[in-house]
């Protein structure tokens, strides 16, 4: 045990106390407090959470799953995480941004060195080393969610579009031409920040590292008092001021008037990180002396540039660049396209690093250039601001250039530190089990289906997706290799999906990039590198590229009218295509259109019609009335649609709840229900346990019922009417209505009752549900045949098959086999059914839709009871059908009301008692008529079942 230790932040906002090992206390690292402490890092490692006393009343906490997170009461920044999964132990402390995983070992070493009195483990737990990805050299973390939007600023767009249109006009036109605007950020959040001047700065009376400032905000009112912990705060400086009520985005806090160590503070002088301008937070923003006090800080710093976010469709890879979007707007008549030409740079000498392409089917082209003698510092402010505006974090000039070109021209690039590359580069398939540490700090295991860039030391990059950590550029890079390549879209998509990596590069490569901009992309990046970092460039090494073979589409101009109903003049049609970069040739009614290299989505004449219409304006398509049907009561739904709705209503009426389950199920479940064939296995399943198309609805319903039972709802009745798959051909897809009942979920009610508890569900509950569904679908239930036994997933002695004739199977029902339930990890009494809606025969066509006349007999109906002794193996249904067939005109119904077995009947015999309903039609029946009918019933039953009338 170590001695008790007490410590806390000098600001007094939060104080911690611990009295048991292992423990560790250092500084608070949040808001103004971090400036007060001046600590190089914040550390709070190894406390047992139940041994920590939080004395500050302003500390707020909340729980999120296994993690408890605490916030500073002054600025609202995250302070500490308590990982509930590891013995309630607090392992690390955070500032306004999450601490990256790669920094935790550094923190650990710092704590051990600075506070040797603490008892600490020799190493951090494994999950703390890898739980947070390191920001990669592309300036962002690998996304876990596919990004389908494209962001850009208004000024960035106007680099390529010469226009006087307003922001509102541009937004409206983008949506009109098919580039739907998802969101526009007009930077209103930065408008409250004003340029202010610090008049005086005096020491805080009760804190060594805080100062009390008087600030002139330039509004003509008396100066305001602000408590600040920034080390650079001084009288006479000019910075960015936020008044009470202002939302501070960098720390996610709305300011209010408060007291810090007994002194009121009426606002905040902000740092760059608090305004999300950069990660700089060592001091508040220090502006030049000529900055106009009282004016908008955002306007002064050019931060009021609106950000437009458009929603991209997968068929528009050309719109993943600002230049491509400007091209579309110019084609629509909103301005003139500019800034497209890229001037080549004459290199000095050959590139010393050569490229060999061993897998040309995966890499149709590769361009490489060496730039020596660069100085990799920060990128220019204008470039950083653009990257920040679209959600990327500036890293360094070299990395920022690749990100800029990716978004500006839709051309992903990669930069290698040339001194870290061993020998020449080889583009090849990965070897099975080969591993690479990528720029996101994660190690990936590769397969031969993946493409990589390798050198003599091994894999340096996952082609088209992410570079490797080993050859990444940093502040020490002096020689850089600029790579621009073409990657197979399908391979890129499959690799990214298999590894779980989504980057901006992958997003573009899997949709198709402009092959003709491969070399100009290197030229553009070279110019920026030389402008920002200096150096000397070599000539470009190009491998594998055989040139682009453009597609030529034969385009009848009449297709526009045929497909859209709009007459677009020929001159306008050809003009639109020309402005979009297409090259129409010919003067007749059919022109040959050459597709530009940046439009791999164009495949035929219908695509050209779409291009013409989105620029011409889909709003020009006039509304047309729907064609009326020949009859008011004409049939609209198909027979299958009618049956589907009828089956759903019938099962819902029986107290069952509709479920919608996955069409994909685990292979193990599919095999239990007769599936598992190769033809029904998915090539790219969304999850490992969803690999097969379902051969039955029952596994999904049983699993759903069990999930309900696991959560305390054991009595549940579910149904689904949907498709099942017997093969991969269209005719092998069936329309099925299925349902399951679990526990005591019977039709008449479930659970316990004073009048009697409900029994467990059984085979007859499933049979009744199946018959109800078939009756709703129009099946002739009076002619159905029930055969004992069913498929292997049912209990062999408690299941049945419903047939119509000897060959037509309409459904199955029963209680499930214990092995089936074990295979599904289900338990309890469960019964179910499955009826084939598409197997029910079509009803005979009627000459008229008019309902027949209702005819009621004026004579009294009569009921007679019969008891027959039959063999024990005879089914009651067979006997019922025999009695009904004795006289189809007079016998209107037969029902079983008693079954008896006993020694008095004889060995292997049973008695079945039936009630026969007789409805006279033409006259009142006499005794002789009843005797004759009874005789026919007895004879027919004897003939079909061997039964004799019981004495």
């Amino acid at each position: 045990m170590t001695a008790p230790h007490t410590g806390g932040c000098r600001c007094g906002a939060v104080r911690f106390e611990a009295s048991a090992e292992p423990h560790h206390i250092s500084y608070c690292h949040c808001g103004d407090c971090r400036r007060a402490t001046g600590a190089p890092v914040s550390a709070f490692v190894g406390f047992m959470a139940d041994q920590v006393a939080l004395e500050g009343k302003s500390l707020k906490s909340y729980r999120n799953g296994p993690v408890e997170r605490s916030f500073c009461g002054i600025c609202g920044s995250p302070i500490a995480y308590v990982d509930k999964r590891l013995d309630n132990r607090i392992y690390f402390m955070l500032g306004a941004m999450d601490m990256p995983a790669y920094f935790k070992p550094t923190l650990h070493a710092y704590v051990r060195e600075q506070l040797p009195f603490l008892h600490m483990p020799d190493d951090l737990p494994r999950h703390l080393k890898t739980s947070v990805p390191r920001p990669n050299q592309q300036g962002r973390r690998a996304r876990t969610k596919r990004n389908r939007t494209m962001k850009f600023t208004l000024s960035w767009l106007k680099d390529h579009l010469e226009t006087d249109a307003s922001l509102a006009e541009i937004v409206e036109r983008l949506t009109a031409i098919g580039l739907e605007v998802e969101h526009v950020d007009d930077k209103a959040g930065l408008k409250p920040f004003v340029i202010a001047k610090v008049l005086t700065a005096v020491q805080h009376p009760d804190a060594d590292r805080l100062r009390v400032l008087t600030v002139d905000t330039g509004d003509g009112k008396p100066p305001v008092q602000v408590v600040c912990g920034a080390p650079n705060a001084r009288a006479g400086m000019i910075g960015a001021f936020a008044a009470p009520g202002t939302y501070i985005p960098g720390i996610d806090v709305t300011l209010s008037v408060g007291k810090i160590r007994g002194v009121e503070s009426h606002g905040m002088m902000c740092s760059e990180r608090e305004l999300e301008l950069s990660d700089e937070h060592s001091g508040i923003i220090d502006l030049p002396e000529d900055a106009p006090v009282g004016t908008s800080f955002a306007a002064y710093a050019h931060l009021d540039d609106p950000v437009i976010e458009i929603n991209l469709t997968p068929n528009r890879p050309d719109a993943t660049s600002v230049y491509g979007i400007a091209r579309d707007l110019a084609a629509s008549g909103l301005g003139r396209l500019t800034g497209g030409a890229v001037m080549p740079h004459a290199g000095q000498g050959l590139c010393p690093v050569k490229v060999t392409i061993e897998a040309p089917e995966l890499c149709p082209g590769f361009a490489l250039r060496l730039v020596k003698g660069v100085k990799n510092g920060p990128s220019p402010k204008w470039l950083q601001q653009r990257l920040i505006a679209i959600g990327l974090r500036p890293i360094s000039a070299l990395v920022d250039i690749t990100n800029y070109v990716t978004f500006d021209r839709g051309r992903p690039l990669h930069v290698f530190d040339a001194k870290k590359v061993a020998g020449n580069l080889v583009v090849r398939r990965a070897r099975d089990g080969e591993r690479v540490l990528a720029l996101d700090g994660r190690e990936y295991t590769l397969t031969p289906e993946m493409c990589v860039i390798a050198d003599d030391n091994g894999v340096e990059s996952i082609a088209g997706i992410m570079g490797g950590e080993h050859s990444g550029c940093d502040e020490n890079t002096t020689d850089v290799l600029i790579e621009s390549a073409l990657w197979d879209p399908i391979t890129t998509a499959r690799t990214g999906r298999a590894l779980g990596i989504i980057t901006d590069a992958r997003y573009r490569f899997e949709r198709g990039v402009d092959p003709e901009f491969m070399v100009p992309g290197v030229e553009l990046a070279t110019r920026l590198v030389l402008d920002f970092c200096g150096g000397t460039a070599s000539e470009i090494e190009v491998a594998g590229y055989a040139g682009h073979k453009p597609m030529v589409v034969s385009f009848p101009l009449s297709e526009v009218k045929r497909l859209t109903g709009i007459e677009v003049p020929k001159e306008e049609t050809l003009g639109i295509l020309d402005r979009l970069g297409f090259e129409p040739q010919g003067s007749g009614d059919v022109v040959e259109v050459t597709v530009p290299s940046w439009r791999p989505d164009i495949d035929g004449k219908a695509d050209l019609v779409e291009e013409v219409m989105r620029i011409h304006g889909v709003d020009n398509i006039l509304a047309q009335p729907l064609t009326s049907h020949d009859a008011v009561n004409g049939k609209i739904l198909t027979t299958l649609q009618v049956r589907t709705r009828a089956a759903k209503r019938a099962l819902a009426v029986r107290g069952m709840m509709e479920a919608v389950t996955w069409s994909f199920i685990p292979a193990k479940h599919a095999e239990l229900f007769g599936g598992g064939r190769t033809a029904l296995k998915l090539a790219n399943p969304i999850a490992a346990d969803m690999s097969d198309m379902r051969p039955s609805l029952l596994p999904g319903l049983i699993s759903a019922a069990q999930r309900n039972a696991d959560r305390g709802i054991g009595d549940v009745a579910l149904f689904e009417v949907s498709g099942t798959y017997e093969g991969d051909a269209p005719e092998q897809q069936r329309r099925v209505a299925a349902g399951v009942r679990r526990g005591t979920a019977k039709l008449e009610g479930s659970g316990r009752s004073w009048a009697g508890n409900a029994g467990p569900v059984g085979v007859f509950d499933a049979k009744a549900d199946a018959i109800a569904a078939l009756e709703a679908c129009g099946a002739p239930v009076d002619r159905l045949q029930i055969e004992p036994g069913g498929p292997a997933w049912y209990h062999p002695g408690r299941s049945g098959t419903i047939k119509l004739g000897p060959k037509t199977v309409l459904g199955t029902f029963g209680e499930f086999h214990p092995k089936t339930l074990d295979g599904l990890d289900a338990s309890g009494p469960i019964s179910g059914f499955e009826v084939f809606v598409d197997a029910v025969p079509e009803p005979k066509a009627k000459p008229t839709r008019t309902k027949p006349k209702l005819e009621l007999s004026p004579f009294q109906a009569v009921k007679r009871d019969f008891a027959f002794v039959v063999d024990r193996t005879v089914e009651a249904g067979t006997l019922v059908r025999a009695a009904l067939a004795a006289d189809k005109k007079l016998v209107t119904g037969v029902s079983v009301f008693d079954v008896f077995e006993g020694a008095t009947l004889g060995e292997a015999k049973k008695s079945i008692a039936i009630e026969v309903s007789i409805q006279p039609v033409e006259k009142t029946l006499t005794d002789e008529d009843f005797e004759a009918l009874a005789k026919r019933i007895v004879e027919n039953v004897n003939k079909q079942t061997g039964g004799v009338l019981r004495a």
Side-chain angles (χ1 to χ4, degrees):
M1 296 286 291
T2 58
H5 177 73
T6 301
C9 177
R10 291 173 182 260
C11 72
V14 183
R15 190 170 180 82
F16 302 92
E17 181 175 346
S19 58
E21 64 175 323
H23 60 47
H24 185 138
I25 284 186
S26 185
Y27 306 104
C28 175
H29 186 68
C30 55
D32 287 340
C33 313
R34 63 174 177 267
R35 304 192 191 102
T37 63
V41 295
S42 291
F44 191 38
V45 181
F47 268 120
M48 296 298 293
D50 55 358
Q51 298 168 351
V52 178
L54 306 179
E55 298 179 351
K57 293 183 180 180
S58 57
L59 184 70
K60 299 175 288 185
S61 301
Y62 77 96
R63 294 179 184 273
N64 182 12
V67 176
E68 179 177 294
R69 193 178 186 186
S70 298
F71 291 85
C72 175
I74 294 179
C75 68
S77 300
I79 296 174
Y81 282 117
V82 182
D83 195 331
K84 298 296 181 182
R85 294 165 296 189
L86 295 175
D87 303 325
N88 260 15
R89 197 176 298 262
I90 299 177
Y91 274 102
F92 56 89
M93 195 171 190
L94 304 178
M97 297 180 65
D98 287 355
M99 179 182 297
Y102 67 85
F103 190 41
K104 290 171 189 169
T106 304
L107 167 65
H108 190 267
Y110 166 79
V111 169
R112 292 177 61 86
E113 178 182 354
Q114 298 296 321
L115 300 163
F117 60 85
L118 296 174
H119 175 79
M120 294 184 62
D122 292 333
D123 197 8
L124 288 177
R126 179 180 177 87
H127 87 284
L128 288 182
K129 294 180 180 179
T130 60
S131 59
V132 182
R134 179 174 182 174
N136 63 45
Q137 295 295 322
Q138 306 305 320
R140 54 206 173 276
R141 294 177 182 175
R143 298 182 179 90
T144 58
K145 178 178 181 180
R146 187 177 298 275
N147 180 10
R148 290 188 174 86
T149 62
M150 171 71 183
K151 288 184 177 181
F152 54 92
T153 66
L154 182 61
S155 65
W156 196 345
L157 177 67
K158 290 187 175 182
D159 281 355
H160 302 298
L161 182 68
E162 187 178 306
T163 180
D164 295 327
S166 66
L167 174 63
E169 291 173 327
I170 291 174
V171 169
E172 182 180 1
R173 184 63 59 86
L174 283 170
T175 300
I177 61 177
L179 302 175
E180 180 184 0
V181 175
E182 188 83 8
H183 178 68
V184 177
D185 182 3
D186 59 0
K187 296 299 180 181
L190 294 177
K191 290 180 180 178
F193 297 93
V194 298
I195 298 175
K197 183 174 183 179
V198 178
L199 301 179
T200 63
V202 299
Q203 185 66 41
H204 191 290
D206 197 24
D208 296 340
R209 299 179 181 268
L210 295 181
R211 296 184 182 184
V212 181
L213 314 179
T214 55
V215 178
D216 177 14
T217 61
D219 57 359
K221 298 180 180 178
V224 296
Q225 178 173 280
V226 175
V227 177
C228 180
N232 67 332
R234 65 187 187 279
M237 77 176 301
I238 298 176
F241 172 76
T246 301
Y247 174 74
I248 311 298
I251 56 177
D252 192 24
V253 166
T254 300
L255 295 180
S256 61
V257 177
K259 286 187 177 182
I260 300 179
R261 298 300 293 263
V263 178
E264 280 195 350
S265 181
H266 296 262
M268 175 186 284
M269 296 297 290
C270 302
S271 68
E272 289 191 2
R273 190 169 77 173
E274 286 155 350
L275 298 187
E276 293 186 336
L277 304 181
S278 71
D279 289 337
E280 176 60 41
H281 61 279
S282 60
I284 57 179
I285 296 172
D286 194 352
L287 298 177
E289 294 182 358
D290 59 353
V293 176
T295 61
S296 169
F297 171 72
Y300 173 81
H302 305 291
L303 300 175
D304 54 350
D305 194 5
V307 177
I308 303 171
E309 182 177 3
I310 63 173
N311 194 8
L312 293 182
T313 53
N315 67 318
R316 292 300 307 279
D318 61 303
T320 60
S321 68
V322 180
Y323 186 78
I325 295 169
R327 182 195 298 117
D328 271 15
L329 288 171
S332 71
L334 203 64
R336 187 174 66 88
L337 187 65
T338 62
V342 177
M343 299 303 295
H345 177 81
Q348 299 181 15
L350 297 176
C351 179
V353 180
K354 303 302 179 182
V355 179
T356 302
I357 301 178
E358 295 182 356
E361 71 279 7
L362 305 183
C363 178
F366 197 105
L368 189 70
R369 166 173 268 170
L370 174 68
V371 182
K372 302 186 67 174
V374 301
K375 184 177 181 181
N376 188 23
S379 57
K381 197 70 175 180
W382 65 266
L383 178 54
Q384 293 189 34
Q385 288 178 348
R386 285 187 175 177
L387 295 181
I388 292 172
I390 63 174
L392 302 184
R393 186 168 67 88
I395 300 294
S396 64
L398 293 176
V399 176
D400 293 353
I401 287 169
T402 64
N403 287 326
Y404 176 76
V405 176
T406 296
F407 281 84
D408 186 66
R409 296 302 183 94
R411 161 36 67 181
L413 303 171
H414 184 64
V415 287
F416 298 91
D417 189 323
K419 292 186 177 180
K420 298 177 182 177
V421 174
N424 295 323
L425 296 179
V426 178
V427 178
R428 59 172 173 82
R429 291 183 180 272
R431 300 184 179 96
D432 194 22
E434 204 166 20
R435 304 172 73 87
V436 59
L437 179 63
L439 287 170
D440 61 355
R442 298 179 185 275
E443 190 173 57
Y444 296 96
T445 302
L446 310 177
T447 66
E449 290 74 29
M450 302 173 182
C451 185
V452 299
I453 304 173
D455 63 3
D456 294 346
N457 291 330
V459 177
E460 292 293 351
S461 176
I462 306 172
I465 297 176
M466 185 178 290
E469 174 76 19
H470 170 71
S471 58
C473 294
D474 53 30
E475 66 277 4
N476 299 317
T477 298
T478 57
D479 299 340
V480 61
L481 286 167
I482 305 173
E483 170 247 306
S484 175
L486 302 175
W487 306 109
D488 176 58
I490 301 299
T491 302
T492 303
R494 287 176 176 171
T495 301
R497 183 165 191 153
L499 299 179
I501 307 175
I502 298 178
T503 60
D504 293 314
R506 174 195 163 184
Y507 185 81
R508 286 157 176 79
F509 280 123
E510 67 187 6
R511 283 157 177 78
V513 299
D514 182 4
E516 290 291 89
F517 200 77
M518 180 182 74
V519 173
V522 176
E523 297 284 9
L524 177 58
T526 301
R527 178 171 61 81
L528 294 174
V529 169
L530 296 178
D531 289 346
F532 300 164
C533 308
T536 303
S538 72
E539 296 179 4
I540 298 178
E541 168 83 6
V542 179
Y545 187 58
H548 174 67
K549 296 180 181 179
M551 172 181 285
V552 178
V553 179
S554 183
F555 181 45
L557 299 176
S558 58
E559 282 294 287
V560 178
K561 170 71 173 178
R562 188 181 73 85
L563 295 179
T564 67
I566 293 182
E567 190 73 54
V568 180
K570 175 182 177 180
E571 294 74 17
E572 182 179 354
T573 298
L574 299 179
I576 289 173
L577 293 175
D578 183 67
R579 293 195 299 273
L580 287 173
F582 296 85
E583 297 179 8
Q585 300 290 333
S587 57
D589 294 334
V590 179
V591 296
E592 301 298 315
V593 179
T594 302
V595 179
S597 58
W598 58 82
R599 293 303 300 271
D601 57 300
I602 301 299
D603 190 50
K605 55 189 178 182
D607 296 323
L608 297 179
V609 173
E610 180 183 349
E611 293 301 300
V612 171
M613 284 311 304
R614 69 184 184 88
I615 301 300
H616 175 74
V618 293
D619 52 339
N620 292 321
I621 300 177
L622 300 178
Q624 298 290 334
L626 294 174
T627 304
S628 62
H629 293 281
D630 295 336
V632 175
N633 200 24
K635 185 177 180 181
I636 298 176
L637 299 179
T638 65
T639 300
L640 199 58
Q641 289 172 329
V642 172
R643 289 177 177 176
T644 298
R645 288 160 172 76
K648 289 182 178 182
R649 286 194 296 268
L651 295 174
V653 165
R654 295 181 62 81
M656 306 183 81
M657 294 178 289
E658 184 176 7
V660 179
T661 61
W662 287 99
S663 297
F664 320 129
I665 61 175
K668 176 184 175 183
H669 293 183
E671 292 166 1
L672 287 173
F673 287 82
R677 288 184 288 277
T678 303
L680 294 178
K681 291 189 177 296
L682 300 177
N684 53 344
I686 61 176
D689 61 348
M690 302 180 78
S691 59
D692 287 53
M693 300 298 290
R694 61 186 178 194
S696 168
L697 300 179
L698 293 173
L701 290 173
I702 295 172
S703 299
Q706 186 60 40
R707 285 193 296 271
N708 279 271
D710 293 341
R711 288 159 178 78
I713 312 297
D715 301 326
V716 62
L718 303 174
F719 78 89
E720 182 174 7
V721 184
S722 188
T724 61
Y725 308 89
E726 298 177 351
D728 58 354
E731 62 273 10
Q732 292 177 302
Q733 180 175 343
R734 305 291 303 270
R735 174 64 58 170
V736 177
V740 298
R741 292 182 183 269
R742 189 190 186 282
T744 62
K746 290 176 168 289
L747 173 63
E748 56 271 14
S750 61
R752 297 181 294 179
S753 170
W754 64 270
N757 298 337
V761 295
V763 60
F764 294 108
D765 298 297
K767 176 185 176 183
D769 292 332
I771 296 297
L774 287 171
E775 184 175 15
C777 293
V781 294
D782 57 326
R783 295 191 286 117
L784 297 180
Q785 301 170 7
I786 310 297
E787 292 185 357
W793 48 88
Y794 289 113
H795 192 294
R798 301 176 187 175
S799 59
T801 301
I802 306 173
K803 289 186 174 182
L804 183 63
K807 296 183 179 180
T808 305
V809 177
L810 297 185
T812 58
F813 63 88
E815 299 176 25
F816 293 101
H817 199 290
K819 290 184 179 180
T820 302
L821 297 180
D822 288 343
L824 297 173
D825 293 326
S827 61
I830 304 179
S831 64
F833 70 92
E834 209 166 26
V835 298
F836 307 112
V837 177
D838 53 3
V840 177
E842 288 275 359
K844 293 181 179 180
K846 297 180 180 179
T848 176
R849 295 178 60 87
T850 305
K851 291 184 178 180
K853 181 180 65 173
L854 177 62
E855 294 183 356
L856 298 176
S857 174
F859 305 105
Q860 180 70 37
V862 181
K863 294 183 179 180
R864 291 288 186 268
D865 294 343
F866 298 84
F868 294 94
V869 178
V870 296
D871 291 339
R872 185 179 296 170
T873 58
V874 174
E875 299 172 1
T878 305
L879 191 147
V880 168
R881 287 192 294 273
L884 281 169
D887 193 320
K888 295 182 179 180
K889 188 175 181 180
L890 292 177
V891 179
T892 58
V894 178
S895 62
V896 178
F897 67 86
D898 183 57
V899 178
F900 170 74
E901 295 184 23
T904 58
L905 299 177
E907 186 177 356
K909 296 291 184 179
K910 66 180 177 181
S911 170
I912 300 177
I914 61 175
E915 179 186 76
V916 179
S917 299
I918 305 169
Q919 177 62 64
V921 177
E922 299 175 351
K923 65 175 183 175
T924 300
L925 298 182
T926 64
D927 290 342
E928 291 77 11
D929 296 330
F930 281 117
E931 288 297 331
L933 177 60
K935 183 179 179 181
R936 291 197 297 273
I937 292 174
V938 172
E939 290 176 350
N940 208 45
V941 169
N942 179 263
K943 179 180 179 181
Q944 297 192 29
T945 68
V948 296
L949 196 63
R950 183 178 175 184

